[in-house]
């Protein structure tokens, strides 16, 4: 029986949070939607390329599944990917019903091509304003249904209570006054950690705080080492790393080095449409070879009218810098884009803590394996958002399986000083330098040392006090670095210079658990599966 008086708290207002709120409301509950910024601010609105779904006459969910499995480097959870690809057309039909204005041609939805997709299956809206169009439509629907929204309300801590309810501590955006909300189920839809890297395509809100908060509360995290770097973001001193969508390469744009030569055909048979990690590393190699800060995207062979119609946001952005897609080579370089790992969930968005759910980029269902196929992320928010909504209405026990490999990690207690802007910048610099596109044991250890030093300063000395933004940033960055150090191989988005190939022993997921939470569980006599002995560091 559903208790309709329970009001689930949904944290985050990207596609995942908005969609869960919308569906939960439609199914009869009254959710409360919390966001640390304004309702409309999230990573979703910057998503350009689109949303993948096998709706074309030459396509099928099976082909979409095969492409998703191939992109994910043998680590994709097959069931999750099957759910994603089979339910994609249903969720697209929902979006059409809600009024998302997908671009059409002669009454048919237009489908674009992106890297590593074997078919044209990328739906877009407003040309390259897909995320924005979807977000605006769902947001309006959420408001029309009277969902309670609390803006500038920052989640600070979660405390699991009995009976599948969670106590959530929140504060205002300045970190002042804290408040403990009524205990309820909580859905983390708080997004990824891309903006913790100095170069990032993400907006500043993408700081991975949901991951840090869930870890402290004792939730299992998985696959944190896999951070996807987008190959082509705008690269000019002082300008933001604006995304220059992969769909441009899907339309025929090519990459040129400093000498004006194409280099991707020598790197991969699919050239500019090779998997993202391959293109990103090839660009880094060109940049290192030439000493130039960037390479160039050349779309001048794509018809001018097509460029302006299909890429209005990119065209507008470039015009502000005096550049024209139809005439100029665009300076581009890679930047952090998507956090593949996160709070471990099963296929129903249940985490390892009863009553705590996670959806979208903050979550890790295993659907992306070691590398996400482009345009599967908006889709993930919808498909697993639907599963989360149904669970909230009809909860059932469950949760993610414990991965074969796990690390039990002790994050140092701090001195309770909140940390400074300089600390935040040091975290971003350290992650970019040492936990970026090309990693090594020495660099990762350097990053871990730096993040622990910042953690020791900024983590609360009294565990009942809520952590600051800096403490959360340091902890999430540290979890990424620890996982990257442990995975002694290269696979998908994770590349280790000192272990440059995949290794069969690592054909498995890596779980991360807080030592304090494991101790708490033991004391309660509710033993989790035995934690692995900490691995010796190389
Ligand atoms: C892009 O438009 O290139 C990014 C799309 C995505 O990350 O899914």
């Amino acid at each position: 029986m559903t208790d309709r008086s329970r009001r689930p708290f949904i944290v985050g207002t990207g596609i995942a949070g908005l969609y869960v709120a919308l569906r939960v409301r439609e199914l009869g509950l009254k959710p409360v939607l919390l966001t640390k910024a304004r309702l409309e601010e999230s990573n979703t609105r910057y998503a350009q390329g689109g949303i993948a779904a096998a709706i074309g006459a030459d396509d099928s969910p099976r082909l979409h599944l095969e492409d998703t499995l191939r992109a994910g480097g043998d680590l994709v959870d097959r069931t999750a990917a099957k759910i994603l690809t089979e339910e994609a057309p249903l969720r697209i039909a929902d979006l059409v019903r809600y009024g998302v204005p997908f671009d059409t041609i002669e009454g048919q939805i237009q489908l674009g091509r992106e890297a590593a997709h074997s078919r044209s299956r990328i739906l877009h809206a407003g040309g390259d304003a897909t995320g924005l169009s979807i977000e605006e439509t769902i947001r309006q629907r959420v408001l029309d249904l009277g969902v309670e929204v609390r803006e500038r309300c920052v989640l600070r801590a979660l405390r699991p209570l009995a009976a599948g309810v969670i106590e959530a501590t929140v504060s205002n955006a300045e970190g002042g006054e804290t408040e403990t909300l009524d205990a309820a189920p909580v859905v983390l839809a708080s997004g990824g950690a891309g903006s913790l890297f100095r170069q990032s395509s993400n907006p500043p809100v993408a700081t991975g705080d949901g991951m840090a908060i869930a870890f402290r509360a004792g939730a299992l995290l998985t696959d944190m080492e896999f951070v996807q770097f987008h190959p082509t973001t705008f690269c000019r001193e002082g300008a933001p790393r604006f995304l220059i969508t992969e769909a441009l390469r899907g339309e025929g744009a090519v990459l040129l080095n400093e000498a004006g030569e194409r280099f991707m055909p020598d790197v991969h048979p699919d050239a500019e449409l090779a998997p993202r990690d391959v293109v990103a590393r090839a660009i880094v190699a060109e940049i290192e070879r030439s000493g130039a800060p960037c390479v160039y995207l050349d779309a001048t062979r794509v018809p001018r009218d097509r460029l302006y119609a299909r890429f209005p946001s990119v065209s507008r952005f470039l015009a502000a810098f005096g550049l024209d897609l139809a005439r100029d080579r665009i300076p581009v370089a890679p930047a952090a884009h998507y956090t593949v790992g996160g709070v471990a969930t099963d296929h129903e968005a249940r985490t390892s803590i009863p009553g705590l759910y996670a959806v979208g980029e903050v979550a890790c269902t295993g659907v992306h394996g070691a590398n996400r196929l482009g345009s599967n992320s908006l889709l993930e928010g919808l498909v697993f958002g639907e599963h989360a909504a149904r669970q909230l209405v009809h909860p059932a026990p469950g949760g993610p399986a414990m991965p074969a490999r796990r690390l039990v990690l002790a994050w140092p207690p701090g001195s309770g000083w909140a940390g400074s802007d300089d600390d935040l910048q040091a975290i971003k610099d350290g992650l970019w330098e040492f936990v970026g596109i090309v990693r090594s044991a020495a660099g990762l250890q350097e990053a871990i040392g730096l993040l622990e030093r910042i953690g020791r300063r900024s983590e609360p000395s009294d565990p009942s006090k809520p952590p600051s933004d800096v403490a959360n940033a340091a902890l999430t960055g540290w979890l990424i670095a620890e996982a990257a150090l442990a995975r002694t191989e290269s696979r998908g988005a994770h590349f280790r210079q000192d272990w440059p190939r995949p290794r069969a022993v690592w054909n498995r997921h890596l779980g991360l658990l807080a030592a304090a939470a494991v101790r708490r569980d033991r004391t309660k006599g509710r033993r989790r599966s035995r934690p692995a002995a900490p691995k010796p560091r190389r």
Side-chain angles (χ1 to χ4, degrees), residues 6 8-11 20 155 157-169 183-190 209-221 342-346 348-359 362-363 388 391-392 395-400 528:
R6 280 178 334 142
F9 293 112
I10 302 167
V11 183
V20 176
L155 179 68
L158 293 171
R159 193 161 72 93
L161 305 177
V165 293
I166 311 284
E167 185 184 271
T169 303
V186 171
V187 183
L188 280 177
S190 47
D209 36 7
M211 295 162 187
I213 291 167
F215 180 78
R216 282 197 198 86
L220 172 70
L221 270 60
V343 183
T345 69
D346 65 4
E348 308 307 321
R350 294 175 291 217
T351 72
S352 60
I353 297 178
L356 179 65
Y357 302 82
V359 189
V362 68
Q391 269 303 312
L392 284 161
R528 285 179 203 263

Side-chain angles (χ1 to χ4, degrees), residues 48-49 114 230 243 245-247 276 337 372 374-377:
Q48 294 175 12
E114 272 180 19
H230 197 287
L243 187 71
T245 176
E246 188 168 85
R276 279 185 188 171
H337 183 59
R372 178 178 63 84
S375 291
N376 267 356
S377 56

Side-chain angles (χ1 to χ4, degrees), residues 46-51 114 117 122 128 201 228 230-232 243-249 276 337-338 372-378:
Y46 302 95
Q48 294 175 12
I51 181 163
E114 272 180 19
H117 285 273
I122 315 302
D128 55 6
S201 66
Q228 186 175 72
H230 197 287
T232 55
L243 187 71
I244 307 292
T245 176
E246 188 168 85
L248 268 158
R249 282 175 279 135
R276 279 185 188 171
H337 183 59
Y338 185 85
R372 178 178 63 84
L373 187 64
S375 291
N376 267 356
S377 56
L378 293 177

Side-chain angles (χ1 to χ4, degrees), residues 507-522:
N507 198 355
R508 57 198 62 193
H509 298 277
L510 174 65
L512 304 178
L513 280 169
V518 172
R519 276 197 302 275
R520 272 200 305 272
D521 264 11
R522 287 224 178 101

